[in-house]
Amino acid sequence: MAATTISVEQDQFCCSVCLEVLRDPVTIPCGHSYCLECIEDYWNRAKQKGQWSCPQCRQVFNPRPLLSRNTVLGELVEKLQKTGFQAESQQSSKPEEVKCTSCTVRKSKAVKSCLMCVGSYCASHLKAHEERFRGKGHKLIPPSDQLKEKLCPQHDKLLRLYCHNDQHCVCSQCVKESHKGHETVSVVDERAKQQKKLQETSLKSVQKLKESEKELRYVIRYIKHSTEAAQEESERIFSKLIRSIEKQNSEVKELIRVQGKAAVSQAEEELEKIQKEMAELKRTGAELEKLSHTEDHIHFLQKCKSLHFPTKPVEMPSTDALHYLMYKTTKGALVNLKDNLDDTLQKEFSKISEKVTLLKESSSKNNSERSKVKDADIPYNSEPKTRADFLQYYNDIILDPNTANSYLCFSDGQRAVTTRADPQPYADHPDRFTSWAQVLCKAGMAGRCYWEIEWTGNGGVSVGVCYKNMSRAGGGSECKLGHNSKSWSLDCSPTACSFQHNKESMTLSAQCACRIGVYLDFRGGTLSFFNVSDAMVLLHKEKITFTQPLYPGFWVGLGSTLKLCSI
């Protein structure tokens, strides 16, 4: 029985979350398939309150479906990666068969074409041709059905030259007449020059699109983290208000969610455009590859002009404006809303809506301006230089009593903590540190943020950041700030200073001061600590790829006091 051939494309086996070929594919109840890691990460971050949906058709499942590897689909993807996609590519590049022009009854397959005779010949007629024109300089080329295109339409002579002035192929008679005095070269030399130029342009286009694709993926992830951090801050403030404000709380969160979704949608549209351009570029590259193997120089020069490679830069969303929208502006407006309560509730909420709309328009305008600047754009990971520059990103962080260890005692309006020998009568809470004398701040951060603290005493302190899911219960390293993979800290004592992460310690030559500044650039992937007692001196800078919003956290030694600074 003859084997059945099925035509498939690689895009049919791509995960719609990561846009790559499926890895460990799983199929959910609605029938759509994803990478196991991608769908688990999507559901873990969705926070849908007991409901889990499909990223494509949005069908909701409750309870959460159990996931198991689709063995048949996995084996099919692996097999097609090895054979299927390559075979399809090879089949699509198979040249068309050229018939012999001298055969009268049944046309045989041509093996050569003659440029002088403007004809194609099978093996038997080629032999007769060679016997008749032996030694007369008839140029034989691989079989082609486009021989007339290689002749000058005016003089009926072979197009052997290329005119740079008029940008097309000419014959020797054209050079003597209408192209007299023009700069001409042989079609062989011109073909080699243009082929090299096109190949270089193709490589540059591929590299630029890959870089843009990578940047857009990061921007999408950054926008989602910023949206999550802003929603958490909104939830914290609204939780202190009376029941009459709960309706407005939902509306503000919805407003942030919609704007975050719109920003993600905008970036995803750009990503989809890149995917389409990549597919088109792949098709054009295949045509160029096919064209590069032809020995027919004239055919190459006539067809290569139709090959185009995109050079327009991809417009990137302004993430700095998004952070300002998602965090600072919303937070400031909501604090005012809390102080004015019911009498000004509707008025202040209208202000929030207006600010969100204006900032979104400003963000779009900034994107347009940045696209005009192109290579002169300031890189996204550039950092402030002076303390005044850092203070532009200042955040008035607030300690969360629900996370404080029972041996920590609050003072100065809950802006300072001291470790005592006797425990405080705090209520049980799942977020509370049970063994280490630590406390976290209430709001998560996912942008450019700066804050300062002061400390005194002989017990020392640790100043750092951590993910929200860092363990709290127990005395192991998984709960100690800076001693696990989910936290980073600067450990300070009167005599020494060190940086801690994931059980690794780095002793710093600089001595810690009583006032420390912390700068976080979530998107740029940097965490920096500064001595700001006299001048602003860098103590340590760490390059990190953050994957979740970060919470400022502190450990306070027995007898020491740590205080949040107000600027």
Side-chain angles (χ1 to χ4, degrees), residues 230-284:
Q231 287 178 320
E232 290 181 357
E233 181 67 4
S234 173
E235 178 68 25
R236 182 191 68 80
I237 295 176
F238 270 108
S239 65
K240 295 182 178 181
L241 302 179
I242 58 177
R243 181 174 298 180
S244 62
I245 305 178
E246 290 178 354
K247 178 181 178 181
Q248 302 299 334
N249 179 15
S250 300
E251 292 181 5
V252 169
K253 289 196 296 179
E254 177 64 12
L255 179 63
I256 295 173
R257 187 193 68 79
V258 169
Q259 296 301 330
K261 182 179 179 180
V264 171
S265 177
Q266 179 184 357
E268 286 178 339
E269 287 178 3
E270 293 297 328
L271 182 60
E272 184 178 355
K273 290 180 182 178
I274 285 185
Q275 294 292 329
K276 291 181 179 179
E277 290 185 12
M278 286 288 287
E280 180 64 20
L281 185 60
K282 181 179 179 182
R283 184 192 66 78
T284 308

Coordinates of all heavy atoms in Angstrom, one line a residue, residues 230-284:
A230 N 0.0 47.0 40.6 CA -1.0 48.1 40.8 C -2.3 47.6 41.4 O -2.9 48.3 42.2 CB -1.2 48.8 39.5
Q231 N -2.7 46.4 41.0 CA -4.0 45.9 41.5 C -3.8 45.5 43.0 O -4.8 45.8 43.8 CB -4.4 44.6 40.8 CG -4.9 44.9 39.4 CD -5.2 43.6 38.6 OE1 -4.5 42.6 38.7 NE2 -6.3 43.6 37.9
E232 N -2.7 45.0 43.4 CA -2.4 44.7 44.8 C -2.5 46.0 45.7 O -3.0 46.0 46.8 CB -1.1 44.0 45.0 CG -1.1 42.6 44.5 CD 0.2 41.9 44.7 OE1 1.1 42.5 45.2 OE2 0.3 40.7 44.3
E233 N -1.8 47.1 45.1 CA -1.8 48.4 45.9 C -3.2 48.9 46.0 O -3.6 49.4 47.0 CB -0.9 49.3 45.2 CG -0.8 50.7 45.8 CD -0.1 50.6 47.2 OE1 0.4 49.5 47.6 OE2 0.0 51.7 47.8
S234 N -4.0 48.8 44.9 CA -5.4 49.3 45.0 C -6.2 48.5 46.0 O -7.0 49.0 46.8 CB -6.0 49.1 43.6 OG -7.4 49.4 43.6
E235 N -6.0 47.2 46.0 CA -6.7 46.3 47.0 C -6.3 46.7 48.4 O -7.2 46.7 49.3 CB -6.3 44.8 46.7 CG -7.0 43.8 47.7 CD -8.5 43.8 47.5 OE1 -9.0 44.1 46.4 OE2 -9.2 43.4 48.4
R236 N -5.1 47.0 48.7 CA -4.6 47.3 50.0 C -5.3 48.6 50.5 O -5.8 48.7 51.7 CB -3.1 47.6 50.0 CG -2.6 47.9 51.4 CD -1.1 48.3 51.4 NE -1.0 49.6 50.7 CZ -1.3 50.8 51.4 NH1 -1.7 50.8 52.6 NH2 -1.2 51.9 50.7
I237 N -5.4 49.6 49.7 CA -6.0 50.9 50.1 C -7.5 50.8 50.3 O -8.1 51.2 51.3 CB -5.7 52.0 49.1 CG1 -4.2 52.3 49.1 CG2 -6.4 53.3 49.4 CD1 -3.7 53.3 48.1
F238 N -8.2 50.1 49.3 CA -9.6 50.0 49.4 C -10.1 49.1 50.5 O -11.2 49.2 51.0 CB -10.2 49.4 48.1 CG -10.5 50.5 47.1 CD1 -9.7 50.7 45.9 CD2 -11.6 51.3 47.3 CE1 -10.0 51.7 45.0 CE2 -11.9 52.3 46.3 CZ -11.1 52.5 45.2
S239 N -9.2 48.2 51.0 CA -9.6 47.3 52.1 C -9.9 48.1 53.4 O -10.5 47.6 54.3 CB -8.6 46.2 52.3 OG -7.4 46.8 52.7
K240 N -9.3 49.3 53.5 CA -9.5 50.1 54.7 C -10.8 51.0 54.7 O -11.1 51.6 55.7 CB -8.3 51.1 54.9 CG -7.0 50.3 55.1 CD -5.8 51.3 55.3 CE -4.5 50.6 55.6 NZ -3.4 51.5 55.8
L241 N -11.4 51.0 53.6 CA -12.6 51.9 53.5 C -13.9 51.1 53.9 O -13.9 49.9 54.0 CB -12.7 52.4 52.0 CG -11.5 53.2 51.5 CD1 -11.8 53.6 50.1 CD2 -11.3 54.4 52.4
I242 N -14.9 51.8 54.1 CA -16.2 51.2 54.5 C -16.9 50.5 53.3 O -16.5 50.7 52.1 CB -17.1 52.3 55.1 CG1 -17.4 53.4 54.1 CG2 -16.5 52.9 56.3 CD1 -18.3 54.5 54.5
R243 N -17.9 49.8 53.6 CA -18.6 49.0 52.6 C -19.1 49.8 51.4 O -19.2 49.3 50.3 CB -19.8 48.2 53.2 CG -20.5 47.3 52.3 CD -21.5 46.5 53.0 NE -20.9 45.6 54.0 CZ -21.5 44.7 54.7 NH1 -22.9 44.7 54.7 NH2 -20.9 44.0 55.6
S244 N -19.5 51.1 51.6 CA -20.0 51.9 50.6 C -19.0 52.2 49.5 O -19.4 52.5 48.3 CB -20.6 53.2 51.1 OG -19.5 53.9 51.7
I245 N -17.7 52.0 49.8 CA -16.7 52.2 48.8 C -16.3 51.0 48.0 O -15.6 51.0 47.0 CB -15.4 52.8 49.5 CG1 -15.8 54.0 50.3 CG2 -14.3 53.2 48.5 CD1 -14.6 54.6 51.0
E246 N -16.8 49.8 48.4 CA -16.4 48.6 47.7 C -16.8 48.5 46.2 O -16.1 48.0 45.4 CB -17.1 47.4 48.4 CG -16.5 47.1 49.8 CD -17.2 46.0 50.5 OE1 -18.2 45.4 49.9 OE2 -16.7 45.6 51.6
K247 N -17.9 49.2 45.9 CA -18.3 49.2 44.5 C -17.2 50.0 43.7 O -16.8 49.6 42.6 CB -19.6 49.9 44.3 CG -20.1 50.0 42.9 CD -21.5 50.7 42.8 CE -21.9 50.9 41.4 NZ -23.2 51.6 41.3
Q248 N -16.8 51.1 44.2 CA -15.8 51.9 43.5 C -14.4 51.2 43.5 O -13.7 51.3 42.5 CB -15.5 53.3 44.2 CG -16.8 54.1 44.4 CD -17.4 54.5 43.0 OE1 -16.6 54.6 42.0 NE2 -18.7 54.7 42.9
N249 N -14.2 50.4 44.5 CA -12.9 49.5 44.5 C -12.9 48.6 43.3 O -11.9 48.5 42.5 CB -12.9 48.7 45.8 CG -11.7 47.8 45.9 OD1 -10.7 48.0 45.1 ND2 -11.7 46.9 46.8
S250 N -14.0 48.0 43.0 CA -14.1 47.1 41.9 C -13.9 47.8 40.5 O -13.3 47.3 39.6 CB -15.5 46.3 41.9 OG -15.6 45.6 43.1
E251 N -14.5 49.0 40.5 CA -14.4 49.8 39.2 C -13.0 50.2 39.0 O -12.5 50.2 37.8 CB -15.3 51.0 39.3 CG -16.8 50.7 39.3 CD -17.7 51.9 39.4 OE1 -17.2 53.0 39.3 OE2 -18.9 51.8 39.5
V252 N -12.3 50.6 40.0 CA -10.9 51.0 39.8 C -10.0 49.8 39.4 O -9.2 49.9 38.5 CB -10.3 51.6 41.1 CG1 -8.8 51.8 41.0 CG2 -10.9 53.0 41.4
K253 N -10.2 48.7 40.0 CA -9.4 47.5 39.6 C -9.8 47.1 38.2 O -8.9 46.7 37.4 CB -9.7 46.3 40.5 CG -9.1 46.5 41.9 CD -9.1 45.2 42.7 CE -10.5 44.6 42.9 NZ -10.5 43.3 43.6
E254 N -11.0 47.3 37.8 CA -11.4 46.9 36.4 C -10.8 47.9 35.4 O -10.3 47.5 34.4 CB -12.9 47.0 36.3 CG -13.5 46.8 34.9 CD -13.2 45.4 34.4 OE1 -12.8 44.5 35.2 OE2 -13.3 45.1 33.2
L255 N -10.7 49.2 35.9 CA -10.1 50.2 35.0 C -8.6 49.9 34.8 O -8.1 49.9 33.6 CB -10.2 51.6 35.7 CG -9.6 52.8 34.9 CD1 -10.3 52.9 33.6 CD2 -9.7 54.0 35.7
I256 N -7.9 49.5 35.9 CA -6.5 49.1 35.7 C -6.4 47.9 34.9 O -5.5 47.8 34.0 CB -5.9 48.9 37.1 CG1 -5.9 50.2 37.9 CG2 -4.5 48.4 37.0 CD1 -5.4 50.0 39.4
R257 N -7.2 46.9 35.1 CA -7.1 45.7 34.3 C -7.4 45.9 32.8 O -6.6 45.4 32.0 CB -8.2 44.7 34.8 CG -8.1 43.3 34.2 CD -9.3 42.4 34.5 NE -10.4 42.9 33.8 CZ -10.7 42.7 32.5 NH1 -9.9 42.0 31.8 NH2 -11.8 43.2 32.0
V258 N -8.4 46.8 32.5 CA -8.7 47.0 31.1 C -7.5 47.7 30.5 O -7.1 47.4 29.3 CB -9.9 47.9 31.0 CG1 -10.1 48.4 29.6 CG2 -11.2 47.1 31.4
Q259 N -6.9 48.7 31.2 CA -5.8 49.4 30.6 C -4.5 48.5 30.4 O -3.8 48.6 29.4 CB -5.4 50.7 31.4 CG -6.5 51.7 31.5 CD -6.9 52.2 30.1 OE1 -6.1 52.3 29.2 NE2 -8.2 52.6 29.9
G260 N -4.3 47.7 31.5 CA -3.2 46.7 31.3 C -3.5 45.8 30.2 O -2.5 45.5 29.4
K261 N -4.7 45.3 30.1 CA -5.0 44.4 29.0 C -4.9 45.1 27.6 O -4.4 44.5 26.6 CB -6.5 43.9 29.1 CG -6.9 42.9 28.1 CD -8.3 42.4 28.3 CE -8.7 41.4 27.2 NZ -10.1 40.9 27.5
A262 N -5.3 46.4 27.6 CA -5.1 47.1 26.3 C -3.7 47.3 25.9 O -3.3 47.1 24.8 CB -5.8 48.5 26.4
A263 N -2.8 47.5 27.0 CA -1.4 47.7 26.7 C -0.8 46.4 26.3 O 0.0 46.3 25.3 CB -0.7 48.2 28.0
V264 N -1.2 45.3 26.9 CA -0.7 44.0 26.5 C -1.2 43.6 25.1 O -0.4 43.1 24.2 CB -1.2 42.9 27.5 CG1 -0.9 41.5 26.9 CG2 -0.6 43.0 28.8
S265 N -2.5 44.0 24.8 CA -3.0 43.7 23.5 C -2.2 44.5 22.4 O -2.0 44.0 21.3 CB -4.5 44.1 23.4 OG -5.0 43.9 22.1
Q266 N -1.9 45.8 22.7 CA -1.1 46.6 21.8 C 0.2 45.9 21.5 O 0.7 45.8 20.4 CB -0.9 48.0 22.3 CG -0.1 48.9 21.4 CD 0.2 50.2 22.1 OE1 -0.3 50.5 23.2 NE2 0.9 51.1 21.4
A267 N 0.9 45.5 22.6 CA 2.2 44.8 22.4 C 2.1 43.5 21.7 O 2.9 43.1 20.8 CB 2.9 44.6 23.8
E268 N 1.0 42.8 22.0 CA 0.8 41.5 21.3 C 0.5 41.7 19.8 O 0.8 40.8 19.0 CB -0.4 40.7 22.0 CG 0.0 40.1 23.3 CD -1.1 39.4 24.0 OE1 -2.3 39.7 23.7 OE2 -0.8 38.6 24.9
E269 N -0.2 42.8 19.5 CA -0.5 43.1 18.1 C 0.9 43.3 17.3 O 1.0 42.8 16.2 CB -1.4 44.3 17.9 CG -2.8 44.1 18.3 CD -3.7 45.3 18.2 OE1 -3.1 46.4 17.8 OE2 -4.8 45.3 18.5
E270 N 1.8 44.1 18.0 CA 3.1 44.3 17.4 C 3.8 42.9 17.3 O 4.5 42.7 16.3 CB 3.9 45.2 18.3 CG 3.4 46.6 18.3 CD 3.4 47.3 16.9 OE1 4.3 47.0 16.1 OE2 2.5 48.1 16.6
L271 N 3.7 42.1 18.3 CA 4.3 40.8 18.2 C 3.7 39.9 17.1 O 4.5 39.2 16.4 CB 4.1 40.0 19.6 CG 4.8 38.7 19.7 CD1 6.3 38.8 19.5 CD2 4.5 38.0 21.1
E272 N 2.4 40.0 16.9 CA 1.8 39.3 15.8 C 2.3 39.8 14.4 O 2.5 39.0 13.5 CB 0.3 39.4 15.9 CG -0.5 38.6 14.9 CD -2.0 38.7 15.0 OE1 -2.4 39.3 16.0 OE2 -2.7 38.1 14.1
K273 N 2.5 41.1 14.4 CA 3.0 41.7 13.1 C 4.4 41.1 12.8 O 4.7 40.8 11.7 CB 3.1 43.2 13.2 CG 1.7 43.9 13.2 CD 1.8 45.4 13.3 CE 0.5 46.0 13.4 NZ 0.6 47.5 13.5
I274 N 5.2 41.0 13.9 CA 6.6 40.5 13.7 C 6.5 39.0 13.3 O 7.3 38.6 12.4 CB 7.3 40.6 15.1 CG1 7.7 42.1 15.3 CG2 8.6 39.7 15.0 CD1 8.6 42.3 16.5
Q275 N 5.6 38.3 13.9 CA 5.4 36.9 13.5 C 5.1 36.8 12.0 O 5.6 35.9 11.3 CB 4.4 36.2 14.3 CG 4.7 36.1 15.8 CD 5.9 35.1 16.0 OE1 6.0 34.2 15.3 NE2 6.6 35.4 17.1
K276 N 4.2 37.6 11.5 CA 3.8 37.6 10.1 C 5.0 38.0 9.2 O 5.2 37.4 8.2 CB 2.6 38.5 9.9 CG 1.3 38.0 10.5 CD 0.1 39.0 10.2 CE -1.2 38.5 10.9 NZ -2.3 39.4 10.6
E277 N 5.7 39.1 9.7 CA 6.9 39.5 8.9 C 7.9 38.4 8.9 O 8.6 38.2 7.9 CB 7.4 40.8 9.5 CG 6.5 42.0 9.3 CD 7.2 43.3 9.8 OE1 8.4 43.2 10.1 OE2 6.5 44.3 9.8
M278 N 8.1 37.7 10.0 CA 9.0 36.6 10.1 C 8.6 35.5 9.1 O 9.5 34.9 8.4 CB 9.1 36.0 11.5 CG 9.8 36.9 12.5 SD 11.6 36.9 12.2 CE 12.1 35.3 12.8
A279 N 7.3 35.2 9.0 CA 6.9 34.2 8.1 C 7.1 34.6 6.6 O 7.5 33.9 5.8 CB 5.4 33.9 8.3
E280 N 6.8 35.9 6.4 CA 7.0 36.5 5.0 C 8.5 36.5 4.7 O 8.9 36.2 3.6 CB 6.4 37.9 4.9 CG 6.6 38.6 3.6 CD 5.9 37.8 2.5 OE1 4.9 37.1 2.7 OE2 6.3 38.0 1.3
L281 N 9.3 36.8 5.7 CA 10.8 36.9 5.5 C 11.3 35.5 5.3 O 12.2 35.3 4.5 CB 11.4 37.5 6.8 CG 13.0 37.7 6.7 CD1 13.3 38.6 5.5 CD2 13.5 38.2 8.0
K282 N 10.7 34.5 5.9 CA 11.1 33.1 5.7 C 10.8 32.7 4.3 O 11.6 32.0 3.6 CB 10.4 32.2 6.7 CG 10.8 30.7 6.6 CD 10.0 29.9 7.6 CE 10.4 28.4 7.5 NZ 9.6 27.6 8.4
R283 N 9.6 33.1 3.8 CA 9.2 32.8 2.4 C 10.2 33.4 1.4 O 10.7 32.8 0.5 CB 7.8 33.2 2.2 CG 7.3 32.8 0.8 CD 6.0 33.5 0.5 NE 6.1 34.9 0.4 CZ 6.6 35.5 -0.7 NH1 7.0 34.8 -1.8 NH2 6.7 36.8 -0.7
T284 N 10.5 34.7 1.7 CA 11.4 35.5 0.8 C 12.8 34.9 0.8 O 13.5 34.8 -0.2 CB 11.4 36.9 1.2 OG1 10.1 37.4 1.2 CG2 12.2 37.8 0.2

